[in-house]
Amino acid sequence: MEQADGEYLIFLDSDDWVEPNFLEKMVTLAVKTGADVTICRAVEFDTETGRELPSEWTLKIQYLPGKSFGPRDIAEHIFQFTYGWPWDKLCRTEFVRKAGLQYPEFPNSEDLVFVFQSLALADRLTVLSDVLIHHRVNRGGSVSNSRHIAPEIPYMAAVRLKEELTRRNCYDTYERSYLNWAMEFLIWNVVNMGELEAQRQYFRKLKQEWLPAMAFEAHPRGCYENQFTYCKYLLAKYAPWPVFYGVVEGYHRLKGLKR
């Protein structure tokens, strides 16, 4: 970011691939709408099977009032309509610099701190419904598959994001969206932790330290939209490790059968 001198800024992962007109379409829309952040649709590519996967969930247009909007227009779903990865998001360089956006020095989950701040602080966001990026999944060497090396980092990233939103005086505006996202994110990390001992340690920290610190129960249950996630939260909060692990394993097997 320090070396970039272009009008727009984007971070692409070397293992993904993009359509030949990807940047042309993104920049054209960004210029037309004056957006600080322009977002396209992506599709997942399974490296094990060689097949593309249904990926409508990568951009949830049901939350959006249109294709160009301000973040406060979707304050309750600002962290739900897209994900905290940067490779489908074109940012105006001047906006990034004026906002003072930086990546924290985390070995994983660092993207979300940068990305979600950019969404919350932008004057205008715009979306492009075209699929322009093909994102590889099920790769053994990916960062997302190495969370067990530093299992505390997702929690630290969630805390850092809240601290930054609070420092910038916009946490209250996006609190409900943040709470829903943070609950799902923390539970997702323990459910999908690949290494058993790291999963056990993460679960212990989650139950004894992180969930109490987040104080999700201080807000009414109606604040949380996804009741399936809320049930997993209650399971993590009250169930012992063997019960939680058994339920998670059953969930993974059932999910595998459905595929």
Side-chain angles (χ1 to χ4, degrees), residues 7 26 29 86 126 135 145 159 184 196 219 221 225-226 246:
E7 187 175 350
M26 294 284 274
L29 185 60
T126 192
H135 175 58
N145 289 332
V159 170
E184 183 172 8
L196 181 59
H219 304 270
R221 181 166 181 167
E225 294 186 11
N226 190 324

Side-chain angles (χ1 to χ4, degrees), residues 6 11 36 59 99 101 129 148 178 186 209 229-230 245:
F11 303 91
D36 290 323
L59 185 61
L101 298 177
S129 57
H148 63 275
Y178 174 85
L186 294 176
E209 300 178 26
T229 296
Y230 192 81
Y245 177 73

Side-chain angles (χ1 to χ4, degrees), residues 1-11 93-94 97:
M1 287 195 296
E2 293 177 357
Q3 297 299 320
D5 57 9
E7 187 175 350
Y8 293 96
L9 187 65
I10 193 165
F11 303 91
T93 307
E94 184 181 7
R97 293 208 166 111

